[in-house]
Amino acid sequence: MGCLFALLGFAADAAAGPRQHWFETFKRSADDRDLYRFLYALPKGGDLHNHLTGSNFSEWWYELATDKALNGGYEYYTRVRIDNCVGYGQDMFGFAPYLLYFRNLQASSYQKLSECEQGEYKKISALNAAEKAAWMDSLRLDKQHEGREEFFQTHWQRLNELGRNPYINAEMLVKNMQAFAREGLTYLETMEGTRFYTRPDGSTFAPDEVADIFRQRLAEPDAVATGVTARMQYYLLRFIDNAEEDLEWIYRFVDANRDLFVGINMVGREDNDKGHPRRFLPTLRKLRRDIPGVPLAIHAGEVDEPNHHVRDTLLLGATRIGHGVNLIDDPDTLLLMRNSDYLVEINLISNLLLEYVDDYREHPFPEYLRMGIPVALSTDDRGMWDSNMTDEYFVAVKEFNLSWKELTSLAHNSLKHSFVDDETKQELLQDYARRLERFQKRFQRSGMQGLSDVVPRSHSFICQQYALCDFSSPVMAAH
């Protein structure tokens, strides 16, 4: 442990006198392209706030939807026409509204449609170039007028049965691990479940079968070769009618599968008041009487109005707060969290695109950071914003002028506050300290020339917004 603290203290000691620090010199002289490449190469910790089905890029979805060798032998169809096959009022505006292009079905569901409805659908593998481009755009926020409603009310409904294939989701998990490894992350704690998955014939997988599919995929050589440790949080959709019963089932399932699932996360729109945190307090107290504590990391404060959801989330026993945007408006809870063991998972790009802030400068992240509230950056539903962890780091440094100590604390916090077992956590922290020391020495010795082999992903959100990346380069496109 003494060695660990010595290594972790390296960055903090070097930050003394920040205006004389080499990182300050680099920031003053670097253009945006160099800053982005530097941050892409920078060793990072983990992504703690990551929705698995929302973290997959459209290109990945298309590849797996059309490759039966990778997706378990499924075939998929998507709606490309509206022929008014159902009457007004017949599921026109429900969870899966009829007037929704690019809703995806597996073949067994397609076969059950009427002849008229089948005429509205087309095999995803048979889409022409324009249809394919529109299909991929339908799964990301890529237009100025799209925002919160597009995300919550159409993206998930379009995915539909693509997200109910355990082989696709297991493959996506590994793709995320590979991509994060290129950015210097070594830990991923993603949110997913094991229920409601369907076989090609439409029958249902047992939850234990799905858990084993994830385990088996994570044990394969290409997953292990990433060097990324992956664990899962089981999600609870907080506002549904039977959410308390769901929580009981999930709690017991996580307890029985702690090698794979390390916690529970309550998800869903907070502006739906049926999911308010205190609703679940009696259930959690009952569960904790008989079952050793299951870690909780709960969405709270991702809402426009001031309220006490963050405070009430802490009352539930959560040690990590997802988003926490309106924590700034709850001074008592803000003071409680200073220099504490509670972490706020910060999602800068998500909060901008979903309109919880109108501008990065409105975000309370730097106030939390500089008040001593532990924070870490995370990517949320990165596939739907076409972003990565480097994008989050770039926004944080460019908008808020982070010091080296502040910058490196983000990765350290993401590992320190992970729900992984203590032995693995210490290994991850020690590894991060070693990687950070090597990176710093390399950069101080060779500068940007030492990062000439670093090739960021070419079509990240920030690359597009700031025109940082060379989209014409075949090497860049490969990433």
Side-chain angles (χ1 to χ4, degrees), residues 80-81 83 85 110 114-122:
V80 295
R81 297 164 52 94
D83 288 334
C85 295
Y110 170 81
S114 67
E115 183 177 351
C116 178
E117 290 174 298
Q118 287 184 356
E120 298 177 322
Y121 283 80
K122 191 174 184 178

Side-chain angles (χ1 to χ4, degrees), residues 89-100 153 157:
Q90 299 179 34
D91 195 34
M92 294 288 281
F93 305 107
F95 173 78
Y98 174 70
L99 300 175
L100 186 66
Q153 303 304 133
Q157 292 84 340

Side-chain angles (χ1 to χ4, degrees), residues 206-277:
D208 287 332
E209 291 179 288
V210 175
D212 284 340
I213 289 170
F214 280 115
R215 287 189 181 97
Q216 292 162 11
R217 187 65 185 89
L218 288 172
E220 292 182 17
D222 60 337
V224 175
T226 66
V228 174
T229 299
R231 298 290 188 271
M232 305 175 82
Q233 300 172 59
Y234 208 115
Y235 72 86
L236 169 73
L237 193 58
R238 64 200 302 160
F239 52 73
I240 60 176
D241 291 340
N242 64 334
E244 290 87 351
E245 292 81 2
D246 250 17
L247 176 57
E248 286 203 43
W249 186 92
I250 290 168
Y251 206 95
R252 297 181 191 283
F253 185 85
V254 169
D255 180 49
N257 293 272
R258 292 191 186 231
D259 63 311
L260 182 62
F261 286 92
V262 293
I264 295 173
N265 203 308
M266 294 182 190
V267 307
R269 297 185 68 155
E270 284 188 71
D271 53 12
N272 184 332
D273 292 334
K274 289 184 178 181
H276 68 92

